Amino acid sequence: MKKIILSAFMLIGLAFNAQSQDISKNALGLRLGDNDGFGGEISYQRGLSKNNRLELDLGWRNSKHVSAYKLVGLYQWVWDIDKGFNWYAGVGAGVGSWSVDANGGNANGTIILAAGDIGIEYNFAEAPIQLSLDLRPEFYLNNTGDNQFRDQSFGPDIGLGVRYRF
């Protein structure tokens, strides 16, 4: 009986240990943010090594007067906190396009940006689900003259991510 109980505790400890160390090879889901009206983004993460990954986020907006899309790629470093909790930081870049039709006039242009990323995530042990909360400051490199996407060349973006890990 003692061997069975000891074996059970060892298996439980091994399961928690394995979960807390590895990042997923792939994760796909949504990142809901607030930057420049893009709101939601389709988010894909690809594990490159035990502590590094690539994240690609595609956001778009299509409303009565505004049409825009943005693709951002980030290289992230991931550090273990404890039992499914990780924190991460990264750098990247993005491109996009926008078009506004308001008050009888049209304006359009491209978006070129540099971005940073810092956040925290939780990987559930019982289900292949990941929740994350991050801050992504974006610096618009071509935000001048007729190609002015926003009033300022800096846009902070706070996002909540929900992804399926596989």
Side-chain angles (χ1 to χ4, degrees):
M1 185 67 169
K2 289 180 184 179
K3 289 181 183 180
I4 293 173
I5 294 173
L6 182 59
S7 296
F9 279 119
M10 288 176 61
L11 284 174
I12 291 170
L14 180 63
F16 280 120
N17 225 0
Q19 174 66 24
S20 66
Q21 288 296 331
D22 294 327
I23 60 174
S24 300
K25 192 68 175 167
N26 297 289
L28 180 65
L30 295 175
R31 181 179 179 276
L32 306 172
D34 65 348
N35 194 12
D36 298 316
F38 281 93
E41 300 173 339
I42 295 175
S43 179
Y44 173 72
Q45 293 178 339
R46 174 72 176 174
L48 301 174
S49 70
K50 188 175 179 179
N51 297 48
N52 301 56
R53 69 179 172 217
L54 179 66
E55 181 175 325
L56 298 171
D57 297 320
L58 175 63
W60 69 92
R61 179 179 181 188
N62 192 4
S63 64
K64 189 173 183 180
H65 301 292
V66 177
S67 177
Y69 77 88
K70 176 175 68 171
L71 176 65
V72 176
L74 298 158
Y75 184 84
Q76 297 175 332
W77 293 268
V78 183
W79 297 277
D80 179 45
I81 296 175
D82 188 34
K83 296 182 181 159
F85 278 101
N86 297 322
W87 76 278
Y88 55 92
V91 296
V95 296
S97 175
W98 60 273
S99 176
V100 176
D101 180 20
N103 300 327
N106 288 337
N108 57 48
T110 58
I111 304 166
I112 300 174
L113 63 99
D117 194 26
I118 187 165
I120 188 169
E121 68 186 19
Y122 181 72
N123 295 304
F124 288 90
E126 304 82 26
I129 302 294
Q130 175 194 84
L131 294 178
S132 66
L133 180 64
D134 64 32
L135 172 66
R136 182 195 303 159
E138 297 177 343
F139 300 93
Y140 301 98
L141 305 176
N142 65 333
N143 196 45
T144 59
D146 291 337
N147 195 45
Q148 197 160 1
F149 174 60
R150 55 179 292 137
D151 293 338
Q152 299 172 357
S153 293
F154 172 75
D157 184 13
I158 297 173
L160 174 66
V162 179
R163 295 177 191 88
Y164 174 76
R165 298 178 295 125
F166 56 99

